[in-house]
Amino acid sequence: MKNNTLDERYEYAQSIMDKILDSADKPLDGEGWWQRSEEPWQTLACCMEIANAVRSPNPEGNMVLC
């Protein structure tokens, strides 16, 4: 993923947004998608930051760099 363009990363994030939000909302009782990552705790923290940003009244004002 690190070599992908920003547009490709954005498209990927949009395609898994349900998994990201599930991970943020139900980290222990949900799907557990974040647990299968190479760095699960970093992934979970990033999911929570993304969830906060997309639910913010001003998501453009919140920068998430994971």
Side-chain angles (χ1 to χ4, degrees):
M1 251 0 253
K2 291 181 182 181
N3 294 329
N4 294 29
T5 67
L6 289 178
D7 286 339
E8 291 168 331
R9 291 181 193 191
Y10 176 79
E11 290 300 321
Y12 176 68
Q14 290 301 314
S15 74
I16 60 166
M17 188 58 68
D18 59 326
K19 294 178 187 325
I20 292 171
L21 296 178
D22 177 75
S23 296
D25 295 338
K26 301 177 279 182
L28 300 178
D29 299 328
E31 206 175 302
W33 171 81
W34 66 274
Q35 297 170 350
R36 297 183 290 278
S37 112
E38 287 182 26
E39 297 183 40
W41 295 110
Q42 183 175 346
T43 300
L44 178 58
C46 191
C47 289
M48 291 179 173
E49 290 296 324
I50 290 170
N52 287 336
V54 299
R55 292 174 176 151
S56 167
N58 181 18
E60 292 84 14
N62 298 318
M63 290 295 293
V64 176
L65 301 174
C66 300

